[in-house]
């Protein structure tokens, strides 16, 4: 498999003007419990003001995810849910770390 290379087609934030009515830059500490192989764990983060229909458009975590698969979404008013799936056969326990989320409300 060939290594991917970075390609920047456009840099800056002007391409997002007019797309979102509100955005949230969320930083929190996440300490997910040990997750057994082929199992799922769910964590929630309180984010005042977010609502169903808002989009989590970015997520970054401060440790190697060791093969885990994560998804974040707005699950209720003021709540973002982070679902972590372990597709491996062995338990994985990550250290507590900083999680950063970018949440946006699209112009309708």
């Amino acid at each position: 498999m060939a290594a991917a290379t970075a390609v920047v087609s456009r840099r800056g934030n002007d391409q997002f003007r007019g797309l979102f009515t509100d955005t949230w830059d969320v930083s929190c500490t996440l300490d997910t419990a040990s997750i057994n192989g082929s199992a799922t764990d769910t964590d929630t983060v309180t984010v005042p003001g977010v609502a169903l229909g808002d989009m989590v458009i970015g997520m970054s975590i401060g440790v190697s995810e060791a093969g885990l698969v994560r998804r974040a979404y707005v699950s209720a008013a003021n709540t973002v849910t982070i679902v972590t799936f372990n597709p491996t056969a062995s338990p994985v326990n990550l250290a507590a770390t900083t999680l950063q989320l970018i949440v946006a409300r699209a112009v309708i």
Side-chain angles (χ1 to χ4, degrees), residues 43-45 50-54 56 72-82:
D43 296 289
T44 59
V45 178
V50 300
L52 287 171
D54 292 344
V56 177
Y73 62 96
V74 177
S75 57
N78 306 314
T79 305
V80 174
T81 296
I82 299 107

Side-chain angles (χ1 to χ4, degrees), residues 4-49:
T5 59
V7 176
V8 177
S9 61
R10 185 171 182 178
R11 184 173 177 180
N13 65 6
D14 60 315
Q15 65 268 32
F16 291 107
R17 289 189 188 132
L19 293 179
F20 305 116
T21 61
D22 216 343
T23 59
W24 293 260
D25 181 4
V26 181
S27 184
C28 62
T29 301
L30 182 65
D31 190 7
T32 301
S34 179
I35 304 171
N36 291 326
S38 299
T40 301
D41 185 61
T42 303
D43 296 289
T44 59
V45 178
T46 300
V47 182

Side-chain angles (χ1 to χ4, degrees), residues 61-100:
I61 188 163
V63 296
S64 169
E65 296 194 81
L68 299 177
V69 178
R70 291 188 192 257
R71 176 177 181 257
Y73 62 96
V74 177
S75 57
N78 306 314
T79 305
V80 174
T81 296
I82 299 107
V83 178
T84 306
F85 172 64
N86 179 358
T88 71
S90 303
V92 175
N93 189 5
L94 301 180
T97 188
T98 299
L99 173 76
Q100 187 167 9

